[in-house]
Amino acid sequence: MSDTAAVVNVAEKLAQFSELWSQKTVAALNDYEVKLAKVKGEFVWHTHDDTDELFLVVSGRLTIRLRDGDVVVGPGELYVVPRGVEHCPVADEETAILLVEPTGTLNTGSAGGPLTRAAEALD
Amino acid sequence: MSDTAAVVNVAEKLAQFSELWSQKTVAALNDYEVKLAKVKGEFVWHTHDDTDELFLVVSGRLTIRLRDGDVVVGPGELYVVPRGVEHCPVADEETAILLVEPTGTLNTGSAGGPLTRAAEALD
């Protein structure tokens, strides 16, 4: 970070990509990062053993399946999945989300698999 | 945090208070917290020596004065003030912001003074 770090316009950043389930880093906050993603369909059940994970829904609707019930997060709403809690994000419609979590947190957590992707910087 | 942590509706939380420059904690993320505040007018010049500070503007418009120029943050935009960078938040109109920073970070940083307030939990 520097004094000249730019203002991040979330809508403009979202317009820069279309891939689903691919996290784009838009800002750093100490050793955390702010990421954007577009999601649709069902992801994989996974757990982050070492960190909570913040989801803020920008548009659309995100269902976070938990083993003991679903959490539905709409636009302007946020939810923190506690560390160690298995979850599976699902969206019926294309949904834009903002995530905050420690830098380097993988999207599939401890589950791994073909959907695993490191976050990419978005200019 | 627990499995039953609630979904946070930002607009509903903002409707629960009216004081200006008073940070309300709405979620925990590891040793960070998510806070909401309503601001209007000019705050005080201050620095957070140990942490970056994330501002996301929900409504209104926030000007973050820096010693080398102003940064203007509108709705749906975010900006991270780097640690050690002196800044002074200003808003001409009432502005609602979401902040993310380490738990216990004081609003006035190292400046102290009469506007210093610990964040309060918002049920």
CSV table of all heavy atoms in Angstrom, one decimal, chain B residues 78-112:
chain,number,residue,atom,x,y,z
B,78,LEU,N,-14.5,1.9,-2.1
B,78,LEU,CA,-13.7,1.7,-0.8
B,78,LEU,C,-12.3,2.2,-1.0
B,78,LEU,O,-11.8,2.3,-2.1
B,78,LEU,CB,-13.7,0.2,-0.5
B,78,LEU,CG,-13.0,-0.8,-1.4
B,78,LEU,CD1,-11.6,-1.0,-1.1
B,78,LEU,CD2,-13.7,-2.2,-1.3
B,79,TYR,N,-11.7,2.5,0.1
B,79,TYR,CA,-10.3,3.0,0.1
B,79,TYR,C,-9.7,2.5,1.4
B,79,TYR,O,-10.3,2.5,2.5
B,79,TYR,CB,-10.4,4.6,0.1
B,79,TYR,CG,-9.0,5.2,0.0
B,79,TYR,CD1,-8.3,5.2,-1.2
B,79,TYR,CD2,-8.4,5.7,1.1
B,79,TYR,CE1,-7.0,5.7,-1.3
B,79,TYR,CE2,-7.1,6.3,1.1
B,79,TYR,CZ,-6.4,6.3,-0.2
B,79,TYR,OH,-5.2,6.9,-0.3
B,80,VAL,N,-8.4,2.2,1.3
B,80,VAL,CA,-7.6,1.8,2.4
B,80,VAL,C,-6.6,2.8,2.8
B,80,VAL,O,-5.7,3.2,1.9
B,80,VAL,CB,-6.9,0.4,2.2
B,80,VAL,CG1,-6.1,0.0,3.4
B,80,VAL,CG2,-7.9,-0.7,1.9
B,81,VAL,N,-6.7,3.4,3.9
B,81,VAL,CA,-5.7,4.4,4.4
B,81,VAL,C,-4.5,3.5,5.0
B,81,VAL,O,-4.7,2.7,5.9
B,81,VAL,CB,-6.2,5.3,5.5
B,81,VAL,CG1,-5.1,6.2,6.0
B,81,VAL,CG2,-7.4,6.1,5.0
B,82,PRO,N,-3.4,3.7,4.4
B,82,PRO,CA,-2.2,2.8,4.9
B,82,PRO,C,-1.8,3.2,6.3
B,82,PRO,O,-2.0,4.4,6.7
B,82,PRO,CB,-1.1,3.2,3.9
B,82,PRO,CG,-1.8,3.8,2.7
B,82,PRO,CD,-3.0,4.5,3.3
B,83,ARG,N,-1.3,2.3,7.0
B,83,ARG,CA,-0.8,2.6,8.4
B,83,ARG,C,0.2,3.7,8.4
B,83,ARG,O,1.0,3.8,7.4
B,83,ARG,CB,-0.2,1.3,9.0
B,83,ARG,CG,1.1,0.9,8.4
B,83,ARG,CD,1.6,-0.3,9.1
B,83,ARG,NE,0.8,-1.5,8.9
B,83,ARG,CZ,0.8,-2.6,9.6
B,83,ARG,NH1,1.7,-2.7,10.6
B,83,ARG,NH2,0.0,-3.6,9.3
B,84,GLY,N,0.1,4.5,9.4
B,84,GLY,CA,1.1,5.6,9.5
B,84,GLY,C,0.8,6.8,8.6
B,84,GLY,O,1.6,7.8,8.7
B,85,VAL,N,-0.2,6.8,7.9
B,85,VAL,CA,-0.6,7.9,7.0
B,85,VAL,C,-1.6,8.8,7.7
B,85,VAL,O,-2.7,8.4,8.0
B,85,VAL,CB,-1.1,7.5,5.7
B,85,VAL,CG1,-1.6,8.6,4.9
B,85,VAL,CG2,0.0,6.8,4.9
B,86,GLU,N,-1.2,10.0,8.0
B,86,GLU,CA,-2.1,10.9,8.7
B,86,GLU,C,-3.3,11.3,7.8
B,86,GLU,O,-3.2,11.5,6.6
B,86,GLU,CB,-1.4,12.2,9.1
B,86,GLU,CG,-2.1,13.0,10.1
B,86,GLU,CD,-1.2,14.3,10.5
B,86,GLU,OE1,-0.3,14.6,9.8
B,86,GLU,OE2,-1.5,14.9,11.5
B,87,HIS,N,-4.5,11.2,8.4
B,87,HIS,CA,-5.7,11.5,7.5
B,87,HIS,C,-6.8,12.2,8.4
B,87,HIS,O,-6.8,12.1,9.6
B,87,HIS,CB,-6.2,10.2,6.9
B,87,HIS,CG,-6.6,9.1,7.9
B,87,HIS,ND1,-5.6,8.4,8.6
B,87,HIS,CD2,-7.8,8.7,8.4
B,87,HIS,CE1,-6.2,7.5,9.4
B,87,HIS,NE2,-7.5,7.6,9.3
B,88,CYS,N,-7.7,12.8,7.7
B,88,CYS,CA,-8.8,13.5,8.4
B,88,CYS,C,-10.1,13.3,7.5
B,88,CYS,O,-10.2,13.8,6.5
B,88,CYS,CB,-8.5,15.0,8.5
B,88,CYS,SG,-9.9,15.9,9.3
B,89,PRO,N,-11.0,12.4,8.0
B,89,PRO,CA,-12.3,12.2,7.3
B,89,PRO,C,-13.2,13.4,7.4
B,89,PRO,O,-13.3,14.0,8.5
B,89,PRO,CB,-12.9,11.0,8.0
B,89,PRO,CG,-11.8,10.4,8.9
B,89,PRO,CD,-10.9,11.6,9.2
B,90,VAL,N,-13.8,13.7,6.3
B,90,VAL,CA,-14.7,14.9,6.2
B,90,VAL,C,-15.9,14.5,5.4
B,90,VAL,O,-15.7,13.8,4.3
B,90,VAL,CB,-14.0,16.1,5.5
B,90,VAL,CG1,-15.0,17.3,5.4
B,90,VAL,CG2,-12.8,16.5,6.3
B,91,ALA,N,-17.1,14.9,5.7
B,91,ALA,CA,-18.3,14.6,4.9
B,91,ALA,C,-19.2,15.9,4.9
B,91,ALA,O,-19.6,16.4,6.0
B,91,ALA,CB,-19.0,13.4,5.4
B,92,ASP,N,-19.5,16.3,3.7
B,92,ASP,CA,-20.4,17.5,3.6
B,92,ASP,C,-21.8,17.1,4.0
B,92,ASP,O,-22.6,17.9,4.6
B,92,ASP,CB,-20.4,18.1,2.2
B,92,ASP,CG,-19.0,18.7,1.9
B,92,ASP,OD1,-18.3,19.2,2.9
B,92,ASP,OD2,-18.7,18.8,0.7
B,93,GLU,N,-22.2,15.9,3.5
B,93,GLU,CA,-23.6,15.4,3.8
B,93,GLU,C,-23.4,14.2,4.8
B,93,GLU,O,-22.3,13.7,4.9
B,93,GLU,CB,-24.3,15.0,2.5
B,93,GLU,CG,-23.5,13.9,1.8
B,93,GLU,CD,-24.2,13.5,0.5
B,93,GLU,OE1,-25.3,13.1,0.5
B,93,GLU,OE2,-23.5,13.6,-0.6
B,94,GLU,N,-24.5,13.8,5.4
B,94,GLU,CA,-24.4,12.7,6.3
B,94,GLU,C,-24.0,11.5,5.4
B,94,GLU,O,-24.6,11.2,4.4
B,94,GLU,CB,-25.7,12.4,7.0
B,94,GLU,CG,-25.5,11.3,8.0
B,94,GLU,CD,-26.7,11.1,9.0
B,94,GLU,OE1,-27.0,12.1,9.7
B,94,GLU,OE2,-27.3,10.0,9.0
B,95,THR,N,-23.1,10.8,5.9
B,95,THR,CA,-22.5,9.7,5.1
B,95,THR,C,-22.4,8.4,6.0
B,95,THR,O,-22.0,8.5,7.1
B,95,THR,CB,-21.1,10.1,4.6
B,95,THR,OG1,-21.3,11.2,3.6
B,95,THR,CG2,-20.3,9.0,3.9
B,96,ALA,N,-22.8,7.3,5.4
B,96,ALA,CA,-22.7,6.0,6.1
B,96,ALA,C,-21.5,5.2,5.6
B,96,ALA,O,-21.4,5.0,4.4
B,96,ALA,CB,-24.0,5.2,5.9
B,97,ILE,N,-20.7,4.8,6.5
B,97,ILE,CA,-19.5,4.0,6.1
B,97,ILE,C,-19.4,2.7,6.9
B,97,ILE,O,-19.9,2.5,8.0
B,97,ILE,CB,-18.2,4.8,6.4
B,97,ILE,CG1,-18.1,5.2,7.9
B,97,ILE,CG2,-18.2,6.1,5.5
B,97,ILE,CD1,-16.8,6.0,8.2
B,98,LEU,N,-18.8,1.8,6.2
B,98,LEU,CA,-18.4,0.5,6.8
B,98,LEU,C,-16.9,0.4,6.9
B,98,LEU,O,-16.2,0.7,6.0
B,98,LEU,CB,-19.0,-0.7,5.9
B,98,LEU,CG,-18.8,-2.1,6.4
B,98,LEU,CD1,-19.9,-3.0,5.8
B,98,LEU,CD2,-17.4,-2.7,5.9
B,99,LEU,N,-16.4,0.1,8.1
B,99,LEU,CA,-15.0,0.0,8.3
B,99,LEU,C,-14.6,-1.4,8.7
B,99,LEU,O,-15.4,-2.2,9.3
B,99,LEU,CB,-14.6,0.9,9.5
B,99,LEU,CG,-14.9,2.4,9.4
B,99,LEU,CD1,-16.1,2.7,10.3
B,99,LEU,CD2,-13.7,3.2,9.8
B,100,VAL,N,-13.4,-1.8,8.3
B,100,VAL,CA,-12.8,-3.1,8.7
B,100,VAL,C,-11.4,-2.8,9.2
B,100,VAL,O,-10.6,-2.2,8.5
B,100,VAL,CB,-12.8,-4.1,7.6
B,100,VAL,CG1,-12.2,-5.5,8.1
B,100,VAL,CG2,-14.1,-4.3,6.9
B,101,GLU,N,-11.1,-3.2,10.4
B,101,GLU,CA,-9.8,-3.0,11.0
B,101,GLU,C,-9.7,-3.9,12.2
B,101,GLU,O,-10.6,-4.5,12.7
B,101,GLU,CB,-9.6,-1.5,11.3
B,101,GLU,CG,-10.6,-0.9,12.2
B,101,GLU,CD,-10.5,0.7,12.2
B,101,GLU,OE1,-9.4,1.2,11.8
B,101,GLU,OE2,-11.4,1.3,12.7
B,102,PRO,N,-8.5,-4.0,12.7
B,102,PRO,CA,-8.3,-4.8,13.9
B,102,PRO,C,-9.1,-4.4,15.1
B,102,PRO,O,-9.3,-3.2,15.3
B,102,PRO,CB,-6.8,-4.7,14.2
B,102,PRO,CG,-6.2,-4.3,12.9
B,102,PRO,CD,-7.2,-3.5,12.2
B,103,THR,N,-9.6,-5.4,15.8
B,103,THR,CA,-10.5,-5.2,17.0
B,103,THR,C,-9.8,-4.2,17.9
B,103,THR,O,-8.6,-4.5,18.3
B,103,THR,CB,-10.8,-6.5,17.6
B,103,THR,OG1,-11.5,-7.3,16.7
B,103,THR,CG2,-11.8,-6.3,18.8
B,104,GLY,N,-10.5,-3.2,18.4
B,104,GLY,CA,-9.9,-2.3,19.4
B,104,GLY,C,-9.3,-1.1,18.8
B,104,GLY,O,-8.8,-0.2,19.5
B,105,THR,N,-9.2,-1.0,17.5
B,105,THR,CA,-8.6,0.2,16.8
B,105,THR,C,-9.5,1.4,17.2
B,105,THR,O,-10.7,1.4,17.0
B,105,THR,CB,-8.6,0.0,15.3
B,105,THR,OG1,-7.8,-1.1,15.0
B,105,THR,CG2,-7.9,1.3,14.7
B,106,LEU,N,-8.9,2.4,17.8
B,106,LEU,CA,-9.7,3.6,18.2
B,106,LEU,C,-9.9,4.5,17.0
B,106,LEU,O,-9.0,4.7,16.1
B,106,LEU,CB,-8.9,4.4,19.3
B,106,LEU,CG,-9.0,3.7,20.7
B,106,LEU,CD1,-8.2,4.5,21.7
B,106,LEU,CD2,-10.4,3.5,21.1
B,107,ASN,N,-11.0,5.2,17.0
B,107,ASN,CA,-11.4,6.1,15.9
B,107,ASN,C,-10.4,7.2,15.7
B,107,ASN,O,-10.2,7.7,14.6
B,107,ASN,CB,-12.8,6.6,16.1
B,107,ASN,CG,-13.0,7.4,17.4
B,107,ASN,OD1,-12.2,7.3,18.3
B,107,ASN,ND2,-14.1,8.1,17.5
B,108,THR,N,-9.8,7.7,16.8
B,108,THR,CA,-8.9,8.9,16.6
B,108,THR,C,-7.4,8.4,16.6
B,108,THR,O,-6.5,9.3,16.6
B,108,THR,CB,-9.1,9.8,17.8
B,108,THR,OG1,-8.9,9.1,19.0
B,108,THR,CG2,-10.5,10.5,17.8
B,109,GLY,N,-7.2,7.1,16.5
B,109,GLY,CA,-5.8,6.7,16.4
B,109,GLY,C,-4.9,7.2,17.5
B,109,GLY,O,-5.2,7.3,18.7
B,110,SER,N,-3.8,7.7,17.0
B,110,SER,CA,-2.8,8.3,18.0
B,110,SER,C,-3.1,9.7,18.4
B,110,SER,O,-2.4,10.3,19.2
B,110,SER,CB,-1.4,8.1,17.4
B,110,SER,OG,-1.4,8.8,16.1
B,111,ALA,N,-4.1,10.3,17.8
B,111,ALA,CA,-4.4,11.7,18.1
B,111,ALA,C,-5.1,11.9,19.5
B,111,ALA,O,-4.9,12.9,20.2
B,111,ALA,CB,-5.2,12.3,17.0
B,112,GLY,N,-5.9,10.9,19.8
B,112,GLY,CA,-6.7,11.1,21.0
B,112,GLY,C,-7.6,12.3,21.0
B,112,GLY,O,-8.0,12.7,19.9
